[in-house]
Amino acid sequence: MPIRPKEPDIFPENLLEETFSLALESRWWALYTKARQEKILMQRLRELRIAHYCPLVPKRTKTPKGRIFTSYIPLFSGYVFLCGQDEDRYRAVTTNCVSKCIEVPDKETLVNELRSIQRVIASGLPLLPESRITTGTRVRIRSGPLAGIEGVVVSHHGEERFIVMVSFIQQGASLLADLVELEPIANEG
């Protein structure tokens, strides 16, 4: 069976850009989807012209015959973030892909965290999904294309990893801390 090309994971394409005000002027919800329905929900939301984001990351798989192919999977299994008004949320729920809908109380923090996740994915550095993150040392990337992104350093299977997180759903993505130049964040207060 042929592998489908990567579909857009964000609509509109500029939703999380700082110059595009929709993200901070609208309400946000975390839509928890029925099993393996994230891409179908995103497709239906695009058809309905409803703003959303579901970060997709590449996953390379090798077949028994040695062929390697890449598929794109949701970084946060089961979640699609919707940006809009009550009517948009209602229309999303009527797609029959949504199991639960939770309003995000702090949309500014969510938008900033989603922007960071989007930048880390775009960097092309190898990522691992992280769930139920425990807090460690807060750091900021000092230089390079990811400069300014804040996260936490944790030890994961004997490796030091830098985690960018979406605190609302207590999940994130991590990359090897060695791949970026980090500086501790001074306690503010």
Side-chain angles (χ1 to χ4, degrees):
M1 185 163 105
I3 303 300
R4 298 174 63 191
K6 181 182 180 199
E7 294 186 33
D9 61 356
I10 190 167
F11 177 84
E13 200 172 296
N14 59 349
L15 177 63
L16 294 176
E17 290 179 11
E18 291 187 32
T19 57
F20 190 62
S21 60
L22 176 68
L24 292 175
E25 291 174 357
S26 300
R27 295 166 64 188
W28 282 84
W29 289 270
L31 303 179
Y32 191 72
T33 67
K34 294 181 179 178
R36 302 176 58 89
Q37 296 283 303
E38 301 93 342
K39 290 182 180 180
I40 294 167
L41 176 59
M42 287 191 305
Q43 181 181 18
R44 291 182 181 164
L45 292 175
R46 275 193 309 278
E47 290 168 359
L48 294 168
R49 317 260 327 137
I50 297 173
H52 65 277
Y53 181 48
C54 176
L56 299 177
V57 292
K59 179 181 178 185
R60 293 175 52 116
T61 308
K62 192 174 185 177
T63 66
K65 292 186 177 182
R67 181 175 167 227
I68 296 175
F69 62 92
T70 303
S71 57
Y72 292 88
I73 61 170
L75 178 62
F76 306 124
S77 180
Y79 285 98
V80 174
F81 297 96
L82 181 140
C83 174
Q85 302 304 322
D86 281 326
E87 181 182 326
D88 300 318
R89 180 197 55 80
Y90 174 77
R91 290 175 30 207
V93 170
T94 62
T95 62
N96 201 29
C97 297
V98 178
S99 161
K100 190 176 185 181
C101 181
I102 307 164
E103 186 167 5
V104 176
D106 184 357
K107 65 184 174 187
E108 191 171 319
T109 297
L110 176 72
V111 169
N112 288 330
E113 291 172 344
L114 292 178
R115 283 176 180 153
S116 294
I117 291 287
Q118 188 181 42
R119 284 181 61 199
V120 170
I121 291 170
S123 75
L125 294 171
L127 298 175
L128 287 178
E130 298 286 347
S131 60
R132 303 295 177 228
I133 298 167
T134 57
T135 46
T137 306
R138 296 243 352 125
V139 294
R140 179 182 301 113
I141 297 178
R142 185 185 316 209
S143 61
L146 302 177
I149 293 180
E150 296 181 2
V152 178
V153 173
V154 297
S155 179
H156 184 76
H157 299 292
E159 298 176 324
E160 293 293 312
R161 301 197 65 88
F162 171 76
I163 299 178
V164 179
M165 55 207 267
V166 176
S167 52
F168 181 72
I169 60 171
Q170 295 182 329
Q171 294 187 40
S174 72
L175 52 102
L176 284 172
D178 300 6
L179 298 176
V180 290
E181 187 179 344
L182 301 172
E183 63 184 1
I185 296 174
N187 289 341
E188 299 168 2

